[in-house]
């Protein structure tokens, strides 16, 4: 047999493939297989991209593949094409994109033989929850970690347990003897249980009528197609809502589509978009017994709510393990297990954050991107990709439907729908009987002041009164303030000193519970000084307000209210966000204060008042996307009010009550707002009417960063495609210095995506040849400029 060569991608910034001899007698080499190879003096894990009978590399330079991962099926050609596209479009190396997209276990050869080994798990029993971790010796740190992980998650993978404690297996066995945990071992690829009925279309109050079925030919009516499983399909269908006409139309459109079918599901908050996703997915999964679906949500905190809704809906229909989550909060072992479940086809629904868009899903048949406008879909480091855009690309590649849902679609998607490239589906009303959109009122802060009306710590009189009324009625209020910490900074009135970060060109934020000044850009921390470090004045005071300060103020402004704060600080500990949100749902909270974390997607049933503080800050940003973002945020947070029958009210405190954004908000007029924004963008030649890319440079000095960018701009003149590209002047970033590194950027844009792409490809080698900065990176379709 003649020698074969594997062309391998490695996690390496150069966009090159490396040739290796593939030993005879091993499993047939195939693109998509993982291999261990020598690289320089070390070893590296790579991905076979091509197999060839020839190599250009001289024989004495060629080395052998050391090991191939034979335990797990190779990644598919479609998946390789996805990472190739992403690498090419976002200007990175193939290996740099492909390998980080895989769970750690796949990049760790010692774990290869057991990738698909049975899953061994320990589940906490009530006796264990009582006893652990108090029963442990105080000094046994590793043991405590193990116990805490178990108590937090309720169960633990043996592999994850071993990572926490070397003797985890023995310990867990002893806990099992004590009756604290139970052991479970599941064959990895265990055959899915026989399927019951997928409750696609039946409405609770009209279970026998067939005219409500989604498809005209009955192909999605559960009873019509489930005959084969009828014998064991004794499961009662889950009680379902009767779909509104608009929901029904949307579901039908999705289910009846064929080939690549992008939908923009524009539904006001609380209009039942989730229900539309569920029905459409159910229909699709039932029609194709192997079909898989990918559902993306913008935030990790939204996964539990979705997971619960999906598990309930598909309980008894899809086997255990058919719904998996994928996000950065999973333990390594879990992440690998979920990824492999998707890769082997065992998982039918993958629910995840942006990183899940890269999951290997061999039978992917439908994609949902919920809250598609959310900036969190954009990765801000490494491969700077848009998960929403990649989702659409994947749908096109596979010729399947993709549903982009939002109450406030991104202008990019809105414009696609305007042009007829995406099919627009509209849900204009709230779904639940009695639920209507909240009334939005503006509180004019200037007028409050002129009339001498009382306010307290930034909370206006009308807002305080409204919260008190809610408290009396046993309803909940939500106060939204997009700024965490106690106060944005600390200042001295006597000399004008303001607490700044020694490493960044930014103020440090006062955190009162932690008694610290903290830089939100680099993490630098110090104790709160007792007096002004410049002049010794002891009367230094916090300037401005953050969530902690509002939390404190609420305790005196609304006596007797149980106040809960949810922001990145209060939810730092793993699993704590979940616990806090449960308290809100359980009615153990009267007033919830929070940042954008509370604004998104949550279905709070008893919130009838939303108060918005300090939104004005965003009105005067130099970023052309600021108003789009502010409007979306305000619509989202307003959408938390009055979802379930209670009439909702939104009070926005502002100094600019006549601003167009607030007017559109008060009328719930996304369409009017979006159309005026589209017009402005068109007139000003801004995205989506041009395509942009950013070159960012980081230097020891600002001069160095700017000089690099000037040379980079000069290099454009040698690139033919760049004649259709315009380069702006290089400018310092708003926060120019972070961690003593100075940052600047150069924006380039073109009317032609192809010309921009060609320019970027030709530009890269020139950029690599330039020196003088610490780092640089390219971002395609940047969101923050
Ligand atoms: P969105 O995602 O559009 O904000 P949700 O999907 O969270 O809205 O739905 C809001 C609420 O309406 C949920 O409590 C949901 O159970 C309920 N709901 C959805 N569809 C219907 C329907 N057809 N009839 C009654 N209630 C519904
Ligand atoms: Zn001073
Ligand atoms: Zn700093």
């Amino acid at each position: 047999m003649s020698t074969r060569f594997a062309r391998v991608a490695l996690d390496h910034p150069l966009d090159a493939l490396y040739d290796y001899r593939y030993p005879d007698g091993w499993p047939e080499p195939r693109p998509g297989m993982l291999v261990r190879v020598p690289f320089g003096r070390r070893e590296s894990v790579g991905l076979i991209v091509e197999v060839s009978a020839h190599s250009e590399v001289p024989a004495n330079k060629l080395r052998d593949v050391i090991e191939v991962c034979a335990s797990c099926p190779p990644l598919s050609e479609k998946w390789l094409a996805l990472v190739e596209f992403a690498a090419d479009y976002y200007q990175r190396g193939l290996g740099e994109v492909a390998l980080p997209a895989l769970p750690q276990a796949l990049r760790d050869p010692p774990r290869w033989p057991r990738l698909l080994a049975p899953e061994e798990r320990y589940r906490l029993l009530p006796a264990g929850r009582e006893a652990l971790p108090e029963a442990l010796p105080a000094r046994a740190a590793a043991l405590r970690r193990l116990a805490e992980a178990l108590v937090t998650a309720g169960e633990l993978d043996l592999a994850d347990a071993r990572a926490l404690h070397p003797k985890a297996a023995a310990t867990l066995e002893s806990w099992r003897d004590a009756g604290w945990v139970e052991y479970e071992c599941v064959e990895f690829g265990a055959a899915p249980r026989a399927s019951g009925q997928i409750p696609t279309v039946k409405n609770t109050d009209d279970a026998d009528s067939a005219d409500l079925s989604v498809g005209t030919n009955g192909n999605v009516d559960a009873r019509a197609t489930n005959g084969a499983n009828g014998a064991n399909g004794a499961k009662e269908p889950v009680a379902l809502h009767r779909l509104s006409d608009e929901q029904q139309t949307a579901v039908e459109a999705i289910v009846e589509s064929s080939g690549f079918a992008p939908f923009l599901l524009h539904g006001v908050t609380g209009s039942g978009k989730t229900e539309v996703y569920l029905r459409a997915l159910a229909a699709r999964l039932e029609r194709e017994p192997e079909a898989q679906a990918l559902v993306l949500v913008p935030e990790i905190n939204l996964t539990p709510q979705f997971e619960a809704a999906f598990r309930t809906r598909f309980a008894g229909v899809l086997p255990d393990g058919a719904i998996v989550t994928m996000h950065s909060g999973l333990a390594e072992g879990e992440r690998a297990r979920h990824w492999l479940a998707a890769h082997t086809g065992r998982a039918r629904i993958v629910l995840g954050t942006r990183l899940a868009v890269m999951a290997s899903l061999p039978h992917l048949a439908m994609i949902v991107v919920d809250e598609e406008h959310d900036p969190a879909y954009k990765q801000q480091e490494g491969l700077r990709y848009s998960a929403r855009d990649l989702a659409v690309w994947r749908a096109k590649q596979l010729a399947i439907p993709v549903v982009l849902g939002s109450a406030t679609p991104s202008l990019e998607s809105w414009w696609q729908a305007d042009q007829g490239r995406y099919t627009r589906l509209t849900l204009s009303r709230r779904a639940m009987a009695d639920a209507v959109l909240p009334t939005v009122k503006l509180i004019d802060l200037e007028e409050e002041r002129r009339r001498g009306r009382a306010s307290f710590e930034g909370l206006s009189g009308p807002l305080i009164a409204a919260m008190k009324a809610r408290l009396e009625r046993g309803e909940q209020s939500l106060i939204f303030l997009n700024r965490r910490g106690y106060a944005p900074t600390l200042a001295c009135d006597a000399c004008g000193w303001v607490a700044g970060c020694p490493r960044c060109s930014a103020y440090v934020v006062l955190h009162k519970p932690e008694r610290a000044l903290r830089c939100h850009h680099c993490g630098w921390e110090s104790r709160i000084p007792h007096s002004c470090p410049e002049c010794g004045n002891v009367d230094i005071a916090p300037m401005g307000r953050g969530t902690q300060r509002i939390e404190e103020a609420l305790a005196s402004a609304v006596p007797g209210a149980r106040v809960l704060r949810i922001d990145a600080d209060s939810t730092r500990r793993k699993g704590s966000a979940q616990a806090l949100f449960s308290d809100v749902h359980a009615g153990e909270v009267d007033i919830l204060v929070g940042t954008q974390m509370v604004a998104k997607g949550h279905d709070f049933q008893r919130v009838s008042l939303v108060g918005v503080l300090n939104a004005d800050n965003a009105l005067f940003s130099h970023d052309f996307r600021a108003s789009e973002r502010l409007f979306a945020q305000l619509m989202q947070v307003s959408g938390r009010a009055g979802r379930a029958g209670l009439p909702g009210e939104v009070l926005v405190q502002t100094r600019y009550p006549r601003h167009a954004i607030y007017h559109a908000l008060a009328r719930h007029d996304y369409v009017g707002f979006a159309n005026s924004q589209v017009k402005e963008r068109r007139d000003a030649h801004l995205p989506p009417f041009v395509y942009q890319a950013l070159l960012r440079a980081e230097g020891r000095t600002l001069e160095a960063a700017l000089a690099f960018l000037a040379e980079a701009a000069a290099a454009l003149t040698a690139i033919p495609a760049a004649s259709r590209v315009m380069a702006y002047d290089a400018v310092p970033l708003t926060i120019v210095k972070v961690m003593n590194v100075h940052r600047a950027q150069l924006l380039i844009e073109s009317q032609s995506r192809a010309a921009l792409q060609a320019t970027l490809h030709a530009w890269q080698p020139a950029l690599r040849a330039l020196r003088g900065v610490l780092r640089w990176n390219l971002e395609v379709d940047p969101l923050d400029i």
Side-chain angles (χ1 to χ4, degrees):
M1 191 197 267
S2 64
T3 317
R4 277 166 312 177
F5 302 93
R7 315 202 64 201
V8 175
L10 299 170
D11 186 358
H12 195 283
L14 287 181
D15 188 17
L17 297 180
Y18 300 87
D19 287 9
Y20 292 90
R21 263 189 307 262
Y22 190 87
D24 286 343
W26 281 17
E28 187 64 22
R30 304 238 313 260
M33 281 177 154
L34 287 164
V35 286
R36 181 157 64 98
V37 293
F39 188 71
R41 287 150 166 254
R42 288 182 300 164
E43 285 181 2
S44 192
V45 168
L47 185 68
I48 300 184
V49 177
E50 280 169 45
V51 177
S52 158
H54 312 279
S55 173
E56 302 291 309
V57 181
N60 61 352
K61 292 252 170 78
L62 272 170
R63 299 160 82 181
D64 286 356
V65 171
I66 304 170
E67 182 183 357
V68 64
C69 173
S71 63
C72 127
L75 286 144
S76 68
E77 267 172 46
K78 288 270 167 40
W79 189 85
L80 287 173
L82 168 70
V83 291
E84 262 164 41
F85 167 78
D88 187 65
Y89 186 78
Y90 294 109
Q91 309 290 319
R92 307 276 291 187
L94 174 56
E96 245 185 329
V97 174
L99 290 152
L102 303 174
Q104 188 54 40
L106 272 84
R107 288 179 279 150
D108 188 17
R111 279 148 82 181
W112 284 353
R114 295 188 48 80
L115 282 180
L116 297 182
E119 297 160 20
E120 296 183 85
R121 250 195 311 252
Y122 286 84
R123 193 168 288 135
L124 191 63
L125 294 172
R129 194 172 285 280
E130 292 269 302
L132 286 167
E134 279 72 23
L136 303 177
R139 307 167 72 98
L143 220 53
R144 281 190 165 271
R145 269 202 302 279
L146 190 64
E148 269 162 22
L150 191 59
V151 171
T152 313
E155 60 176 41
L156 208 54
D157 233 55
L158 188 55
D160 289 331
R162 284 205 177 99
L164 294 170
H165 186 359
K167 295 199 181 118
T171 306
L172 285 163
E173 275 305 306
S174 72
W175 291 355
R176 184 180 172 193
D177 292 341
W180 293 350
V181 295
E182 65 184 358
Y183 171 81
E184 183 184 63
C185 177
V186 191
E187 231 15 84
F188 184 86
R193 265 197 275 129
S195 155
Q197 287 189 337
I198 295 192
T200 44
V201 291
K202 278 200 288 305
N203 285 296
T204 34
D205 49 353
D206 206 353
D208 291 325
S209 110
D211 54 308
L212 289 165
S213 72
V214 176
T216 44
N217 52 7
N219 62 346
V220 289
D221 183 318
R223 284 154 303 162
T225 48
N226 236 333
N229 292 327
N232 56 15
K235 267 273 194 263
E236 281 296 305
V238 179
L240 295 183
H241 296 302
R242 171 193 282 278
L243 293 181
S244 68
D245 289 349
E246 288 178 328
Q247 283 177 316
Q248 182 77 15
T249 307
V251 175
E252 276 173 25
I254 299 164
V255 171
E256 288 169 9
S257 71
S258 63
F260 171 53
F263 294 96
L264 180 60
L265 178 62
H266 174 221
V268 300
T269 51
S271 58
K273 294 186 284 294
T274 312
E275 192 60 37
V276 171
Y277 307 148
L278 283 165
R279 302 278 179 124
L281 284 170
R284 190 83 197 201
L285 296 187
E286 189 208 10
R287 198 164 54 187
E288 299 166 38
E290 298 210 305
Q292 296 178 301
L294 173 65
V295 179
L296 299 179
V297 295
E299 261 224 44
I300 235 180
N301 294 316
L302 289 171
T303 48
Q305 177 182 317
F306 263 77
E307 197 183 348
F310 278 65
R311 285 203 194 288
T312 312
R313 182 61 59 92
F314 291 102
V317 179
L318 295 178
D320 289 352
I323 300 178
V324 300
T325 52
M326 235 179 245
H327 53 73
S328 59
L330 295 179
E332 260 316 318
E334 255 179 323
R335 170 115 174 250
R337 188 150 47 80
H338 293 186
W339 190 94
L340 286 161
H343 177 57
T344 54
R346 181 177 166 214
R348 303 283 305 281
I349 299 177
V350 171
L351 190 66
T353 53
R354 64 171 179 255
L355 59 86
V357 78
M358 294 284 196
S360 161
L361 290 154
H363 307 293
L364 184 57
M366 181 170 160
I367 307 179
V368 171
V369 183
D370 191 35
E371 311 291 2
E372 67 89 29
H373 65 280
D374 200 303
Y377 283 120
K378 183 83 199 250
Q379 164 100 353
Q380 299 290 6
E381 56 198 36
L383 178 74
R384 291 171 166 78
Y385 65 96
S386 154
R388 177 197 62 216
D389 294 352
L390 285 181
V392 174
W393 190 88
R394 262 189 117 161
K396 191 166 182 183
Q397 176 199 35
L398 301 172
I400 58 171
V402 54
V403 183
L404 310 178
S406 176
T408 51
S410 64
L411 284 190
E412 279 77 8
S413 299
W414 188 251
W415 174 237
Q416 295 283 5
D418 279 349
Q419 293 172 293
R421 296 218 191 107
Y422 295 176
T423 304
R424 194 173 348 235
L425 304 169
T426 306
L427 308 179
S428 57
R429 280 178 302 276
R430 287 203 156 170
M432 292 179 84
D434 325 323
V436 289
L437 287 169
T439 48
V440 178
K441 289 188 199 138
L442 303 172
I443 301 175
D444 183 343
L445 291 177
E446 276 308 312
E447 169 135 345
E448 289 291 308
R449 196 186 52 83
R450 256 198 323 272
R451 300 196 171 208
R453 291 203 185 120
S455 72
F456 179 72
E457 279 283 327
L459 300 165
S460 66
L463 180 57
I464 294 176
M467 286 187 285
K468 285 182 173 161
R470 295 312 183 292
L471 180 63
E472 266 164 37
R473 296 208 293 267
E475 297 167 13
Q476 295 174 317
S477 306
L478 186 163
I479 304 297
F480 171 66
L481 169 62
N482 214 359
R483 183 183 268 165
R484 64 191 173 88
Y486 186 82
T489 190
L490 189 66
C492 168
D493 258 354
C495 74
W497 170 83
V498 181
C501 175
R503 303 190 295 204
C504 307
S505 51
Y507 295 139
V508 283
V509 179
L510 175 63
H511 284 255
K512 203 168 172 187
E514 302 91 331
R515 295 186 187 180
L517 293 174
R518 191 180 282 163
C519 175
H520 285 189
H521 299 278
C522 74
W524 179 86
E525 238 187 65
S526 83
R527 301 187 56 110
I528 301 171
H530 295 292
S531 58
C532 172
E534 295 284 322
C535 73
N537 170 21
V538 291
D539 248 0
I540 48 176
M543 212 164 77
R545 293 183 185 88
T547 45
Q548 293 174 349
R549 190 166 184 181
I550 295 299
E551 178 189 22
E552 187 181 279
L554 284 167
S556 11
V558 190
R562 295 163 300 173
V563 180
L564 177 73
R565 171 169 57 88
I566 299 191
D567 57 26
D569 299 307
S570 73
T571 57
R572 190 144 297 176
R573 275 191 31 241
K574 195 179 170 215
S576 59
Q578 203 34 40
L580 295 180
F581 281 116
S582 313
D583 289 350
V584 181
H585 291 297
E588 284 158 24
V589 172
D590 301 310
I591 305 179
L592 174 63
V593 194
T595 55
Q596 41 87 28
M597 270 182 95
V598 301
K600 298 179 186 179
H602 292 279
D603 195 9
F604 299 125
Q605 298 273 320
R606 294 204 60 79
V607 169
S608 63
L609 172 72
V610 167
V612 177
L613 310 183
N614 261 345
D616 290 345
N617 287 337
L619 292 176
F620 305 103
S621 165
H622 62 104
D623 186 336
F624 70 87
R625 278 194 181 84
S627 30
E628 177 187 355
R629 219 172 284 147
L630 175 64
F631 186 75
Q633 223 167 41
L634 294 180
M635 282 281 263
Q636 289 294 334
V637 72
S638 305
R640 299 314 111 207
R643 292 173 72 85
L646 299 171
E649 186 178 28
V650 179
L651 299 178
V652 181
Q653 298 193 162
T654 173
R655 296 202 147 67
Y656 307 93
R658 268 165 293 281
H659 199 288
I661 283 199
Y662 294 136
H663 274 259
L665 180 73
R667 293 195 311 268
H668 302 286
D669 186 14
Y670 168 82
V671 175
F673 173 79
N675 290 342
S676 74
Q677 285 282 309
V678 165
K679 184 174 178 311
E680 268 180 38
R681 299 268 186 98
R682 190 203 322 258
D683 293 346
H685 299 285
L686 289 168
F689 299 94
V690 292
Y691 302 96
Q692 298 183 323
L694 261 187
L695 174 63
R696 288 207 189 82
E698 303 185 354
R700 288 202 195 287
T701 61
L702 179 59
E703 291 66 39
L706 290 171
F708 173 90
L709 295 176
E711 284 184 66
L716 283 171
T717 53
I719 299 171
S723 64
R724 299 179 62 196
V725 169
M726 147 152 148
Y728 287 81
D729 289 336
V731 290
L733 263 64
T734 316
I735 307 279
V736 57
K737 185 178 75 163
V738 167
M739 285 281 254
N740 293 321
V741 167
H742 296 256
R743 312 172 312 161
Q745 67 184 24
L746 171 68
L747 179 67
I748 67 171
E749 68 180 30
S750 176
Q751 312 256 340
S752 152
R753 204 196 280 274
L756 184 66
Q757 282 283 323
T759 301
L760 293 173
H761 282 291
W763 206 16
Q764 288 238 36
L767 295 176
R768 272 192 218 111
L770 295 179
R771 295 280 169 265
V773 287
L774 300 165
R775 272 180 299 275
W776 57 269
N777 65 67
L778 276 172
E779 177 167 0
V780 182
D781 305 333
L783 278 190
D784 296 302
I785 294 173

